[in-house]
Amino acid sequence: MRINDMDVALIALRNKNNVGVKLMSYGASIVELLAPDRGGNLENIVLAYEHIEDYIKNVPYFGVVVGRTSGRIGAGSFKLDGKQYELNRNTGINNLHGGPAGFSFKNWDYTIKEVEDKASVEFTCVSEDMEEGYPGKLEVKVIYTLTEDNEFIIEYQAVSDKNTLCNLTNHSYFNLSGNYKRKITEQHLKIKSDSFLETDNNLVPTGRILAVKDTPMDFNSEKLIGRDIEADYLPLRIAKGYDHPWLLSGKEAQVEMYDEQSGRKMTISTTYPCVVVYTYNFANNERLKYNKAGSKYDGICFETQYEPDGINHEGMNSAVLSAGSGYNERTVFKLEVL
Ligand code: FUC
């Protein structure tokens, strides 16, 4: 496919149970994830544009890989090895998701691999020294794998020739109802986490860690996403819904989402310490598939990552990747029907 003079590839993987994923080289993105419901009907559980060209702007970051850093870097600036770096800014004074020309807007190279019961697509890109303001030439690999046990795995690898920041995620919006039939507020969520990061009016972490106990942020027991989403609680009012980093406890199955009506369940296990959960609060009538205009709560992102803006706060993971050392994180999405 040619878009804006780029050769953009679409690659489809499907396993023996008919779970299928469609990937795109632009943004190394997930543009479709087909999963069966209780009756065996295959439907799509990720938000996607109807028109591929809309991924060129992609203000909501549908499906894409985000980098070099995920989330906001306060004032677009940070200090590393005694030197102050100024990043390109794209949300007021802040840097969001790696800047205006971040990894979500690159057309990645790819190779397809098949080994026994697994099929993978390896996307690679190179980010040059000082690109978007980050030091070091960074070589990145994102590997998507679909297994025969309905696991969809994302592995993030990178290496830099100088100390730099690296905090990679995928920005897919999930909706387990299938083809976005019902809002995510009617679906259940569980997050193993006792605390979340407070954010300021521009959604930049303040450095304070707040307890979830007795607040609408507590998802330790499964509850409907919509149960407390509009509660009169300052962090929710500021973000207009959920848009916060949770510090994860436990090493696996840290997040579970379930749609009672379809029976679809998704369990997320990650090596990252944090997940930013975002409920599409800033929807703006995006032209989605199935002839739908995107509206608030049509999808939910689980952006597994290091704490956003960690470099600017004591006691958090800084996301510094040292020269020559390997970046290696993974997130697994397991699909089931209950
Ligand atoms: C999420 C949110 C942001 C933003 C972006 C498109 O990661 O944290 O607030 O709207 O997505």
Side-chain angles (χ1 to χ4, degrees):
M1 211 165 34
R2 300 281 302 169
I3 306 176
N4 283 10
D5 272 346
M6 285 177 290
D7 263 323
V8 173
L10 276 177
I11 307 141
L13 304 178
R14 186 167 276 217
N15 74 8
K16 64 169 194 254
N17 312 313
N18 276 330
V19 168
V21 61
K22 204 177 277 174
L23 306 166
M24 180 171 67
S25 59
Y26 190 79
S29 43
I30 301 167
V31 295
E32 187 177 79
L33 184 53
L34 293 176
D37 68 5
R38 221 178 263 123
N41 300 309
L42 284 180
E43 287 171 311
N44 179 20
I45 58 166
V46 292
L47 297 193
Y49 282 115
E50 175 72 56
H51 304 286
I52 291 290
E53 311 79 60
D54 286 352
Y55 283 91
I56 300 292
K57 281 222 175 80
N58 198 2
V59 175
Y61 291 80
F62 288 142
V64 288
V65 166
V66 172
R68 284 188 200 193
T69 51
S70 300
R72 291 169 177 80
I73 302 281
S77 123
F78 65 93
K79 205 172 187 173
L80 181 60
D81 301 326
K83 203 175 153 200
Q84 197 70 33
Y85 289 93
E86 301 297 328
L87 298 174
N88 289 346
R89 293 163 183 163
N90 49 348
T91 42
I93 62 162
N94 303 309
N95 166 284
L96 174 69
H97 295 330
F103 296 175
S104 311
F105 306 102
K106 280 180 184 287
N107 192 27
W108 297 53
D109 292 325
Y110 69 95
T111 49
I112 301 172
K113 303 220 158 136
E114 244 187 290
V115 190
E116 287 170 12
D117 57 344
K118 285 184 212 159
S120 302
V121 180
E122 291 190 4
F123 285 103
T124 53
C125 76
V126 176
S127 173
E128 296 300 336
D129 186 25
M130 293 312 289
E131 190 176 297
E132 295 295 84
Y134 300 91
K137 177 178 175 188
L138 183 75
E139 292 172 59
V140 187
K141 191 185 270 188
V142 174
I143 308 166
Y144 292 111
T145 301
L146 182 63
T147 73
E148 295 292 20
D149 340 315
N150 298 351
E151 282 189 342
F152 179 62
I153 304 167
I154 311 179
E155 290 167 278
Y156 302 93
Q157 300 174 359
V159 65
S160 171
D161 63 359
K162 290 186 189 151
N163 293 349
T164 190
L165 288 190
C166 190
N167 192 5
L168 306 170
T169 195
N170 176 281
H171 208 284
S172 287
Y173 292 71
F174 296 89
N175 183 330
L176 300 183
S177 68
N179 301 358
Y180 337 145
K181 281 194 292 293
R182 297 179 297 276
K183 298 259 179 193
I184 51 103
T185 39
E186 299 168 45
Q187 297 166 39
H188 287 86
L189 181 64
K190 180 176 176 178
I191 309 174
K192 286 184 193 160
S193 167
D194 296 325
S195 52
F196 72 102
L197 305 188
E198 181 187 63
T199 50
D200 67 15
N201 288 336
N202 295 315
L203 303 173
V204 178
T206 62
R208 285 182 69 207
I209 299 175
L210 304 181
V212 300
K213 196 170 178 335
D214 299 326
T215 77
M217 313 304 275
D218 191 350
F219 281 91
N220 282 295
S221 304
E222 179 187 86
K223 69 178 178 190
L224 282 178
I225 296 167
R227 195 186 86 176
D228 300 329
I229 201 167
E230 297 196 338
D232 189 10
Y233 180 64
L234 186 62
L236 289 176
R237 287 205 309 270
I238 290 176
K240 302 186 165 43
Y242 292 110
D243 189 356
H244 304 85
W246 269 263
L247 302 181
L248 297 169
S249 42
K251 293 282 166 224
E252 58 185 316
Q254 295 101 328
V255 178
E256 290 173 52
M257 186 180 179
Y258 176 57
D259 175 45
E260 207 161 357
Q261 242 176 285
S262 68
R264 290 190 184 91
K265 182 178 178 189
M266 181 172 74
T267 304
I268 303 175
S269 297
T270 186
T271 55
Y272 280 120
C274 174
V275 64
V276 172
V277 176
Y278 171 57
T279 46
Y280 195 19
N281 312 330
F282 306 115
N284 189 21
N285 289 311
E286 278 81 14
R287 299 185 295 172
L288 301 182
K289 280 190 172 179
Y290 321 113
N291 223 344
K292 217 179 130 70
S295 73
K296 200 170 177 177
Y297 312 149
D298 273 341
I300 184 168
C301 296
F302 301 108
E303 306 159 46
T304 54
Q305 59 188 272
Y306 305 117
E307 297 90 317
D309 202 35
I311 182 81
N312 289 321
H313 305 285
E314 282 291 309
M316 291 191 192
N317 289 289
S318 62
V320 170
L321 176 66
S322 309
S325 70
Y327 184 101
N328 210 337
E329 302 291 349
R330 64 168 9 212
T331 299
V332 179
F333 301 83
K334 180 154 180 78
L335 301 171
E336 289 168 282
V337 181
L338 298 190

